Amino acid sequence: MIVQVVVVLMYAVYLFLPGYLVLTAARIYKNRFLLSYGVSISILVVSLLPFVLFGGSIYLWVGMLHVVIAFLVFGANLLYKGKAVREPVNHQTSSPKRHSWPVIGCLGLLSVFSLYHLVVGPYTEIPSDFWKHLARVGTELHFLAEGDLPKSNGGGFGVSVSSPIYVIHAIIARLLLVNPIDLVMPATLVTSGIFLGSIYWFSFTLLARFDLDVRYSVAGALLATLLTLTSFGTASFSYVRYYAYFPTIFAFPLIYTSIVILLDYLEQPSRQIWKLMLIPLFLIVMAIIHRQEALLTVIMLAAITF
């Protein structure tokens, strides 16, 4: 049980907290959930890339990861201070109660789903591809036995496959000295929660553009998330259940993040242009993790622009 809790904290912290700290240092409050995840997963993938290409100790990567996070937080804070000197600060005028409803809705959603996930467990039934992906993680873990990341064989991101997600799963198992199959429950709990959270906040952002009471926007976002959970998937498989351990669920929230950034820019092009630089970064990260989501994002952004 202690290991399960530690794994939940590790996945949740490193998939969300680095981006949250960077955004906090930069005093960016809009779309905080989506951007926090987008920045966090980008930091993980980009920092891991040179170690996979050229080899190196996983402990060195862990150390470099924290250095990169600290550097980005410090740099974001410096940029904010420079911006604050040139521009006046806009103070929020909305009531605290108005801001609490979306957070309460998100926490309620994640609590209910977490209880459901802990009761039914991850989806591993045949004909799920879960076992194939778990085998790929096992292959990566085999090459991490000495604590080093071996150089890529040129055929993909890692030794055995083309996605860094398998390497990340394997590194966590290696650091905790446990079998990857023992980490499936907590890992899929976090990835599923982040995916559903991205659906919720994306839907709330869209509904908030209309002149609706905030409670109606929250209710609509919860309904959209519920419909996604029950109707979005492959054949008879729910997406969030079937793909919870796969690389695709790590990339999918970046689709919503990229769309939100573009919509913000289209509404306020003079103030949001710097955020557009994040879209190419997210596209690259998606292409590295699972290129299908990158192509889908390009199609959707092109359609929105048109």
Side-chain angles (χ1 to χ4, degrees), residues 65-79:
L65 174 64
H66 290 86
V67 170
V68 170
I69 294 172
F71 176 80
L72 290 175
V73 171
F74 180 73
N77 188 57
L78 286 181
L79 289 176

Side-chain angles (χ1 to χ4, degrees), residues 14-15 34-50 68 72 157 162-166 168 246-255 257-258 261 276-298 301:
Y14 286 99
L15 289 176
L34 291 168
L35 287 173
S36 293
Y37 174 76
V39 173
S40 297
I41 190 66
S42 299
I43 292 173
L44 283 174
V45 172
V46 173
S47 64
L48 184 60
L49 181 58
V68 170
L72 290 175
F157 191 97
S162 59
S163 177
I165 299 306
Y166 304 115
I168 292 173
F246 302 2
T248 177
I249 204 169
F250 286 81
F252 214 102
L254 296 178
I255 298 177
T257 309
S258 300
I261 292 173
L276 287 179
M277 295 185 295
L278 292 176
I279 295 180
L281 171 63
F282 293 157
L283 288 174
I284 293 173
V285 171
M286 280 185 278
I288 294 175
I289 295 176
H290 196 255
R291 65 188 62 180
Q292 178 177 308
E293 281 67 38
L295 178 59
L296 178 58
T297 304
V298 170
L301 295 181

Side-chain angles (χ1 to χ4, degrees), residues 123-133 234-237 242 246:
Y123 187 88
T124 61
E125 292 84 349
I126 302 298
S128 170
D129 294 334
F130 164 79
W131 299 103
K132 179 179 69 174
H133 293 277
T234 303
S236 59
F237 304 113
Y242 185 84
F246 302 2

Side-chain angles (χ1 to χ4, degrees), residues 262-263 265-266 297-306:
L262 179 62
L263 292 176
Y265 169 73
L266 293 177
T297 304
V298 170
I299 294 173
M300 296 184 72
L301 295 181
I304 292 172
T305 304
F306 179 78

Side-chain angles (χ1 to χ4, degrees), residues 75-108:
N77 188 57
L78 286 181
L79 289 176
Y80 169 79
K81 290 181 177 179
K83 180 182 178 182
V85 173
R86 299 188 300 269
E87 300 179 6
V89 178
N90 289 325
H91 297 283
Q92 299 289 337
T93 57
S94 302
S95 65
K97 185 177 180 181
R98 179 178 178 85
H99 288 293
S100 65
W101 278 107
V103 176
I104 292 173
C106 183
L107 293 177

